[in-house]
């Protein structure tokens, strides 16, 4: 017997009274993370017992079943199926930017309102947005929100491009497009989920309130790390593609698209960054070179270590933790590159490009700082150059600070959409927090439910005991 | 007017009918993260309007108000107040270990039950616990659960020791004990919150179900990052203590307790790790040396950069992101050291110490890998030594794998306490998941509520339209 996966449309419930049809057992799968938004999703339990599906309810665009009951394999290349995947993952990357910019908008606005400490002489306290520690956690996330927006726009273009080529039966760029979207889905959703939580923590105790909007944003967003391809599994697919590309490059083939930099292997394997002052890191070419060198060297390093294993598959499995890191390095390079390319376009509005350039530098250099071990151990950056990058980051935070609120206002989210008392456009947070508190069901009565039945007998009894 | 913070006990509600007393407005603060556990906490709104508090309701152990209304400052040293802080934070560290080991127990057990992919030839699929990527994410968390347990035990001893010294009016070790507990509270709670989420993701889509026990564990645990001292603020206190110690060491003073290593400044500032093979990293002395060198060099580096600033305070503020990292390095050293010291004790049970030694190496080396940038840029470790550490980690994961389930069983949690269908001791996960699903309120009726009112009119109307 031949086993395939095929799609069917099956009627589950009666159109008269909505009861399940004979042989169909179905129900909801159970409560999920968060205050409720995901509980209305139709993740369910479904079982069939002797249910016959008529032939014409099979999705037969590709494989088919004949009237005689014969399964006919599609002669359409498998690759065509990837087109839809590219589409779905492209929308997920766009959504990552949306969710992240929502969280960042709330955290930046509230950090400009909230004041704490910082005055020894009785003067007003300091806006928490002025603290370097707050900036160093928040501004890289602001930069990431913009970075994901731009890479999302580019992915939309890529999908169109892939589709046009598919229609012309040109499948040559499909593996690269597939690896690229899989990797971007993985990296942007993982980082966004973490970032929403970080934004929540950056709002202090008030971020823990449902009325901050952040807890539910996290609970609704974080499944993106698991659905449409678990993020670790997707990175391993990217890694597999990278290993293939390394061996093709070694065989003299010229890679295309986001992987084209690997063709520059001679230079990238031995180059050393020429950065000499902190400001040298403002040069996009200097950034691009080290991100390319890091990604390529990590991939080549993995390929060399795999080749020492008894078999290719054993080597791949043994080195999979390293391969994940190599895949992340490759994907981060793509995001940095697309941000840089975006800034080579015309961008209207006085000073806008300048602000975005600062965010681009922050995005790239915070990654360089976070993954400094990669850059140092692959030898493309020295410890001194790493310290210079860090020094520049501090300066860039100070430069972004005056425009931080404008940079989140630019997302143009309404208060209704943000759904956060902390992230209000008018900044009138505290009266709103107070008002929101009174809406708590526990506040419907002045004396809480249960006092008469449980608390009063307990209190009265204790009083009696203490009188003994 | 002199302003102080003092504690009072104030009656809020009538003992007769529980209604708020005159002048008191109070209510719940609003819904919070999670399915509900935190909604029953008494975080509330409280306002007083002309409420007089009798003098004897002030907590007057230290400062006092005389019958004549005069505020008398306490002559008890301020430091005494820190004793309670040390106590509270010590319990928080112990709780971190408990919460983390609960999450790890669920994830390890489920990873041994869940199978996926890995069979090309029709054989059984692979237990996900056998995947190197799963091991490299999960086993460092297992090791952390043990590490936090041991450092928690030691902190309990420290609290007793501090208290005895306080009673003997010896305040000399208090600043060190304070910095140490503040830092441990910060590092262990941040890492635990992240780790619970990671364990949830390691359970795939099922980790998202409330019945996995993980969503609520996270929502109930994560406030620990904010309460009893926000984790970033606490690290800055540690950093301030480190900067003070560096200058005292420079002045020839010998530091004590967890900071004693800083006295060894001559050696630690210039030593280079002698590690030459992967197995050399099994030597606790080799580990301790590089963690000490890294922590000290990061602190000294910060101190030097601060001294270049126009003022001490400006420098501290400007460099605060770097100071956070130096503080984390110091605290990680403490945890690694206490793990190593624990293993120098007698540990009963055949083979138990051996297993714990592997976990200790995993704990230290995964930190070395994660913060490789620190170790490389401070120059105590070379890129090759870093790669050897990584190589050894892979071998250690393979050695821990056969005992992984036993190592979480050793926490001795009942199924009732774990509250997770995925983490059941008997491993009978799937029938339990199925049974749990049917308890969903949505499954109380076969046809969901609202069908008659909303769905049926919609469906019937659409049918009519399609017949036009």
């Amino acid at each position: 017997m031949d086993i395939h996966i095929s799609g069917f449309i099956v009627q589950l419930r009666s159109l008269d009274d909505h009861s399940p049809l004979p042989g169909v057992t179905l129900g909801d799968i159970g409560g999920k993370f968060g205050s409720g938004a995901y509980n209305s999703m139709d993740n369910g339990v479904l079982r069939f017992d002797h249910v016959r599906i008529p032939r014409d309810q099979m999705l037969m665009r590709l494989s088919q079943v004949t009237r005689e009951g014969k399964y006919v394999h599609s002669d359409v290349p498998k690759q065509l199926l990837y087109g839809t995947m590219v589409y779905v993952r492209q929308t997920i990357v766009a959504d990552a930017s949306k969710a992240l910019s929502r969280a960042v908008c709330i955290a930046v606005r509230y950090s400009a309102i909230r004041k704490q400490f910082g005055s020894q002489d009785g003067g007003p306290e300091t806006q928490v947005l002025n603290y370097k520690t707050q900036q160093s956690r928040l501004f890289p996330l602001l930069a990431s929100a913009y970075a994901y927006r731009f890479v999302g726009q580019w992915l939309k273009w890529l999908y169109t491009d892939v589709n046009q080529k598919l229609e012309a039966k040109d499948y040559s760029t499909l593996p690269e497009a597939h690896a690229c979207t899989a990797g971007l889905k993985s990296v942007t959703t993982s980082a966004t989920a973490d970032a929403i939580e970080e934004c929540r923590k950056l709002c202090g105790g008030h971020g823990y309130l449902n009325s901050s909007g952040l807890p539910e944003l996290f609970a609704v967003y974080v499944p993106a790390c698991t659905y449409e391809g678990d993020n670790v599994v997707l990175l391993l697919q990217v890694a597999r593609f990278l290993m293939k590309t390394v061996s093709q490059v070694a065989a003299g083939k010229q890679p295309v698209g986001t992987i084209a930099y690997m063709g520059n292997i001679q230079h990238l394997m031995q180059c050393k960054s020429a950065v000499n002052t902190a400001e040298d890191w403002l040069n996009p070419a200097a950034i691009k070179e080290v991100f390319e060198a890091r990604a390529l060297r990590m991939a080549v390093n993995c390929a060399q270590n795999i080749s020492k294993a008894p078999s290719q598959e054993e080597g791949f499995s043994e080195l999979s933790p390293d391969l994940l890191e190599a895949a992340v390095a490759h994907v981060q390079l793509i995001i940095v590159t697309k941000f840089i390319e975006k800034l080579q376009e015309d961008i209207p509005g006085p000073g806008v490009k300048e602000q975005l350039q600062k965010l681009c530098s922050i995005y790239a250099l915070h990654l360089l700082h976070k993954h400094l071990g990669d850059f140092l151990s692959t030898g493309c950056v020295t410890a001194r150059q790493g310290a210079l990058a860090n020094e520049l980051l501090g300066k860039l935070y100070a430069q972004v600070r005056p425009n931080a609120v404008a940079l989140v206002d630019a997302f143009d989210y309404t208060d209704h959409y943000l759904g956060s008392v902390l992230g209000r456009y008018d900044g009138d947070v505290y009266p709103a927090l107070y008002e929101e508190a009174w809406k708590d069901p526990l506040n419907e009565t002045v004396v809480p439910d249960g006092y008469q039945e449980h608390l009063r007998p307990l209190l009265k009894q204790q009083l009696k005991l203490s009188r003994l």
Side-chain angles (χ1 to χ4, degrees), chain A:
Chain A
M1 198 184 121
D2 223 356
I3 299 175
H4 310 279
I5 294 172
S6 295
F8 298 88
I9 289 177
V10 186
Q11 184 180 348
L12 299 177
R13 291 177 181 272
S14 152
L15 285 171
D16 285 330
D17 61 3
H18 211 56
S19 61
L21 290 179
V24 175
T25 309
L26 82 181
D28 194 82
I29 203 179
K32 280 151 252 153
F33 201 3
S35 297
Y38 245 79
N39 290 330
S40 54
M41 285 272 173
D42 59 352
N43 315 104
V45 174
L46 177 61
R47 213 165 50 172
F48 293 122
D49 184 15
H50 290 86
V51 172
R52 279 183 76 104
I53 306 174
R55 181 182 151 274
D56 61 1
Q57 286 177 213
M58 178 172 165
L59 301 172
M60 291 200 280
R61 184 181 160 209
L62 305 178
S63 302
Q64 299 184 336
V65 171
T66 65
R67 288 187 185 279
E68 291 70 38
K70 200 171 140 24
Y71 189 95
V72 184
H73 276 284
S74 162
D75 60 352
V76 178
K78 245 187 181 172
Q79 289 99 319
L80 269 187
L81 300 171
Y82 287 114
T84 313
M85 272 199 198
V86 171
Y87 174 76
V88 173
R89 288 175 185 163
Q90 163 251 314
T91 63
I92 292 178
V93 172
D95 284 347
S97 165
K98 252 185 251 168
L100 177 51
S101 45
R102 262 174 84 167
V104 165
C105 182
I106 295 169
V108 166
R109 285 183 181 165
Y110 182 52
S111 300
I113 297 300
R114 184 179 170 210
K115 292 177 182 167
Q116 197 150 17
F117 308 125
S119 164
Q120 310 287 341
D121 52 3
E125 292 184 299
T126 306
Q127 287 164 285
V128 297
L129 193 52
N130 288 343
Y131 287 106
K132 281 284 161 190
T133 48
Q134 192 86 353
Q135 293 174 8
S136 69
R137 294 162 73 197
L138 194 44
F139 291 168
L141 307 182
L142 173 62
S144 302
Y146 275 94
Y148 298 171
R149 182 147 314 200
F150 297 142
V151 84
Q153 287 169 353
W154 171 78
L155 264 187
K156 209 167 170 180
W157 167 84
L158 182 76
Y159 170 67
T160 322
D161 185 61
V162 162
N163 249 16
Q164 281 170 353
K165 286 190 175 126
L166 288 181
E167 281 177 23
K169 294 202 172 10
D170 169 6
Y171 308 130
S172 61
T173 61
L174 200 56
E176 183 263 324
H178 178 247
C180 170
T181 45
L184 284 169
K185 184 270 178 186
S186 174
V187 167
T188 59
T189 56
S190 287
T192 295
D194 292 348
I196 295 170
E197 249 300 284
E198 183 77 352
C199 285
R200 197 187 58 67
K201 292 199 188 100
L202 285 162
C203 293
H206 283 148
Y208 201 70
L209 282 171
N210 286 337
S211 62
S212 74
L214 292 165
E216 196 63 9
L217 181 59
F218 178 69
V220 169
Y221 186 75
V222 72
C225 298
T226 307
Y227 62 54
E228 290 293 325
D230 172 86
N231 281 354
V232 166
V233 176
L234 288 184
L235 285 178
L236 287 176
Q237 291 178 10
V238 175
R240 214 168 268 280
F241 174 71
L242 289 177
M243 293 306 98
K244 206 185 237 173
T245 307
V246 167
S247 73
Q248 286 171 342
V249 166
K253 207 181 146 187
Q254 188 60 33
V256 294
T258 52
I259 204 90
Y261 71 97
M262 286 200 168
N264 196 11
I265 188 164
Q266 242 91 36
H267 171 70
L268 290 177
M269 282 305 286
Q270 42 80 20
C271 68
K272 286 182 188 307
S273 174
V275 162
N276 199 28
T277 67
E279 277 66 25
D280 286 350
W281 279 120
L282 290 172
N283 177 6
I287 294 276
K288 223 175 134 186
E289 184 186 49
V290 297
F291 271 80
E292 287 181 350
R294 165 207 181 207
L296 180 65
R297 291 178 198 188
M298 286 174 81
V300 167
N301 200 22
C302 284
Q304 285 171 344
N305 286 334
I306 289 175
S307 71
K308 290 176 203 155
S311 79
Q312 177 87 3
E313 271 317 297
E314 256 174 274
F316 192 89
S317 153
E318 207 55 42
L319 285 154
S320 52
D322 299 345
L323 285 160
L324 289 184
E325 293 178 3
V328 167
H330 169 67
V331 176
Q332 288 175 341
L333 162 66
I334 297 176
I335 305 174
V336 166
T337 305
K338 295 305 159 191
F339 205 151
I340 290 173
E341 286 175 7
K342 176 74 187 181
L343 293 175
Q344 284 154 356
E345 295 172 17
D346 263 352
I347 293 176
V352 173
K353 185 182 270 198
E354 206 183 309
Q355 292 302 318
L356 293 179
Q357 270 161 341
K358 290 185 202 307
L359 290 180
C360 181
S361 299
I362 287 176
Y363 181 73
L365 295 176
H366 104 278
L367 287 179
L368 192 148
H369 181 66
K370 188 178 165 194
H371 299 274
L372 188 58
D374 289 356
F375 290 92
L376 294 179
S377 61
T378 56
C380 52
V381 165
T382 64
R384 191 180 154 267
Q385 289 167 332
L388 291 173
N390 204 28
E391 189 188 318
L392 181 60
L393 262 181
K395 291 182 190 170
L396 287 167
Y397 295 152
Q399 290 170 23
V400 162
R401 166 63 189 94
N403 298 295
V405 174
L407 283 164
V408 298
D409 286 353
F411 297 136
D412 206 16
Y413 292 145
T414 61
D415 280 347
H416 177 75
Y417 178 75
L418 280 183
S420 166
V421 292
L422 305 185
R424 293 167 63 99
Y425 181 73
D426 65 8
D428 221 3
V429 167
Y430 295 104
L433 259 176
Y434 192 71
E435 199 184 314
E436 202 60 38
W438 293 111
K439 294 183 190 161
D440 189 312
L442 285 173
N443 291 332
E444 276 169 19
T445 54
V446 180
V447 174
D449 288 353
Y451 169 72
Q452 290 294 340
E453 305 91 293
H454 306 295
L455 210 51
R456 193 182 149 90
L458 194 77
L459 286 169
K460 293 296 166 184
Q461 191 191 354
Q462 279 187 332
L463 282 172
K464 217 184 284 172
L465 282 173
S466 66
R467 270 187 216 131
L468 287 179

